[in-house]
Amino acid sequence: MRILFVAAGSPATVFALAPLATAARNAGHQVFMAANADMMPVVVEAGLPGLPTTELPIKHFITTDRNGEPEAIPADPVGQALFTGRWFARMAAASLAGMLELTRDWRPDVVVGGTMSYVAPLLAAHLGVPHVRQTWDAIDADGIHPGADAELRPELAELGLDRLPDPDLFIDVCPPSLRPAHAAPARAMRYIPANRQRRLEPWMYTKGERPRVCVTSGSRVAKESYDKNYAFLRDLADSMAAWDVELIVAAPEEVAASLRAELPGAELRAGWVPLDVVAPTCDLLVHHAGGVSTLTGLNAGVPQLLIPKGAVLETPARRIADYGAAVTLLPGQDTSDGIAAACQDLLAQPAYRKHAQELSHEISAMPQPAQLVAALEQLT
């Protein structure tokens, strides 16, 4: 069977789909993964054959509309969710022609897309093959999809549709205790951390006597990042560098070099580290509430300080805090004093780790990706 997995324009979207794609490949199926051209090194490093959907990077679709005019991110949460759907949809529209051209030579039997890989259902509808949606994380996208439907009106009209079709199979990696009551029926699958690897050093899998705190702003952060993630990461590292903790800043090497230059007196380990290796050794993760980073922390059973950077991240971050496995600081609460107080609380109160470990055990009991391959096979 030929299975096409469709990621998007960030490493996290590749990492999230890689376990199921690898399981399908290990079962003997021919598997390709498609994503933006600049994600091809990430796909290849995940051990998968890669195909570019579009030469344009994710930043283009966030900042520019179809007419080439600049886009501004709305201030209100509802508007931000719809905006997210629109720019993911613009990426899908720009990818569709190339994907249709690809399938003239290599026609998939099943198309598997991530949460907002909207070219996947469009492509599957054109080909008349099953479409599978696999969630990237625990983010509820119900408020995002209508923005995509609106943006994709021309593409949907060509198919005689007024909205994106529901998937033939929905696979969800969200732990059951964190899944919204209104969520659509889905097949559960265990979240498996997948990320770039590197030669390990002993400090990555061992820890000293001081509390270990890992700070990250995700794999997409850049020195001149349009989403302000670099400033967020720098300010976090700066405020924590003087604390009596072992501080790790997980970031791409070029970003880590900039941090070391800007914080020359800080005692920190900064650079690209495999978070799946480092997370289990940590006493606390502090980050932007990105979905893959959050689930990696939950998988490791580590308490987290979640500082959502974007309205679509706030609801799942609050849900984890309500469960007792994290503290979530919303805009206006994320001052230096607020962050310091939250970190001290998370490190001092064992209840946070207890609840985080409960979620870790729940994740480990979910069906493995290999068990979901049979569900893909049954669609054909």
Side-chain angles (χ1 to χ4, degrees):
M1 190 164 75
R2 291 177 170 180
I3 309 176
L4 176 63
F5 284 77
V6 186
S10 71
T13 66
V14 174
F15 299 152
L17 295 179
L20 182 58
T22 301
R25 196 162 184 254
N26 289 345
H29 299 294
Q30 188 176 20
V31 172
F32 289 176
M33 181 176 283
N36 299 50
D38 61 341
M39 290 297 105
M40 288 300 97
V42 181
V43 174
V44 171
E45 287 172 14
L48 296 165
L51 292 164
T53 55
T54 171
E55 294 297 320
L56 295 169
I58 193 172
K59 178 179 179 180
H60 172 82
F61 301 103
I62 297 175
T63 59
T64 310
D65 69 12
R66 291 206 198 197
N67 298 318
E69 298 298 324
E71 280 269 39
I73 300 175
D76 66 291
V78 172
Q80 282 189 32
L82 294 173
F83 173 80
T84 300
R86 291 201 308 274
W87 69 256
F88 268 108
R90 286 195 290 271
M91 189 156 58
S95 303
L96 183 58
M99 289 290 93
L100 287 169
E101 181 67 27
L102 157 72
T103 58
R104 293 189 180 97
D105 298 319
W106 191 89
R107 181 184 175 89
D109 300 296
V110 178
V111 179
V112 183
T115 306
M116 289 163 275
S117 297
Y118 296 124
V119 72
L122 292 175
L123 180 63
H126 274 280
L127 299 178
V129 302
H131 163 234
V132 178
R133 177 181 292 156
Q134 186 218 295
T135 59
W136 291 324
D137 44 43
I139 295 173
D140 181 359
D142 284 356
I144 295 173
H145 296 323
D149 291 333
E151 182 71 32
L152 290 171
R153 283 195 186 102
E155 288 75 19
L156 292 171
E158 185 179 348
L159 292 163
L161 301 171
D162 59 5
R163 60 182 290 272
L164 286 161
D166 293 329
D168 296 283
L169 174 65
F170 182 29
I171 299 173
D172 196 357
V173 297
C174 182
S177 292
L178 299 178
R179 202 162 189 264
H182 64 270
R187 291 285 299 271
M189 186 179 79
R190 178 178 178 176
Y191 170 79
I192 304 291
N195 42 241
R196 283 189 174 110
Q197 295 298 331
R198 57 169 289 185
R199 178 173 176 169
L200 298 179
E201 300 175 28
W203 67 264
M204 296 177 185
Y205 51 86
T206 60
K207 66 186 294 291
E209 296 181 357
R210 293 187 299 168
R212 171 173 278 194
V213 178
C214 180
V215 175
T216 185
S217 193
S219 55
R220 206 177 63 201
V221 62
K223 178 64 171 67
E224 302 298 337
S225 179
Y226 57 90
D227 57 8
K228 309 300 183 185
N229 275 358
Y230 176 79
F232 168 75
L233 189 64
R234 180 199 59 219
D235 293 345
L236 275 179
D238 189 25
S239 63
M240 293 181 179
W243 298 4
D244 186 23
V245 297
E246 181 188 1
L247 180 61
I248 298 173
V249 180
E253 290 299 334
E254 62 274 16
V255 173
S258 296
L259 286 172
R260 287 191 290 267
E262 290 193 38
L263 308 172
E267 181 184 349
L268 55 85
R269 298 185 187 273
W272 183 264
V273 296
L275 199 58
D276 61 323
V277 173
V278 171
T281 72
C282 293
D283 298 287
L284 176 63
L285 296 183
V286 181
H287 59 88
H288 61 307
V292 170
S293 298
T294 300
L295 279 182
T296 299
L298 292 180
N299 181 72
V302 180
Q304 301 179 65
L305 173 57
L306 305 175
I307 308 173
K309 294 302 165 185
V312 297
L313 303 177
E314 292 178 8
T315 298
R318 285 198 301 264
R319 198 175 294 131
I320 299 168
D322 290 343
Y323 186 88
V327 170
T328 295
L329 297 181
L330 300 178
Q333 300 173 329
D334 53 347
T335 62
S336 295
D337 289 344
I339 291 171
C343 287
Q344 290 166 6
D345 188 38
L346 285 157
L347 291 170
Q349 302 298 329
Y352 291 110
R353 179 167 286 274
K354 173 179 176 293
H355 290 124
Q357 290 176 340
E358 288 173 358
L359 289 173
S360 175
H361 295 323
E362 191 172 280
I363 291 170
S364 67
M366 296 170 73
Q368 299 280 351
Q371 295 173 258
L372 273 294
V373 175
L376 300 183
E377 294 168 344
Q378 289 166 7
L379 290 173
T380 61

